[in-house]
Amino acid sequence: MTLKKVIGYLAKYGIPLAIGVGLIMLLYSSFDFAQMKEIMRSGVNYWWLIGMLVVSTFSHVFRAARWR
């Protein structure tokens, strides 16, 4: 590989990947996973999530049927 191809490859894939990983690390650096786990165990009404899943699935099915 030539130097130009390597620089192009890094510019195309390496820089966005590094920025993405850095942003994810910044986002989750002060995140309390133990608290989230406790909320998911006791503080969530899963019936709302099931309803949302059904509605969103039907929306995708109807959109696919419309576009065939």
Side-chain angles (χ1 to χ4, degrees):
M1 272 180 129
T2 65
L3 183 60
K4 188 175 183 179
K5 284 186 180 183
V6 170
I7 292 173
Y9 184 77
L10 284 176
K12 188 174 181 180
Y13 297 109
I15 294 172
L17 181 64
I19 291 171
V21 169
L23 287 174
I24 288 172
M25 288 175 60
L26 179 66
L27 176 68
Y28 289 113
S29 64
S30 63
F31 194 78
D32 186 9
F33 287 100
Q35 182 183 9
M36 181 181 162
K37 193 175 179 182
E38 183 61 34
I39 290 171
M40 292 299 289
R41 281 189 184 154
S42 63
V44 175
N45 185 353
Y46 286 102
W47 288 110
W48 284 104
L49 291 176
I50 291 169
M52 181 268 319
L53 181 64
V54 169
V55 168
S56 63
T57 300
F58 277 121
S59 95
H60 288 296
V61 168
F62 290 138
R63 184 176 302 143
R66 185 180 68 195
W67 285 96
R68 287 194 199 231

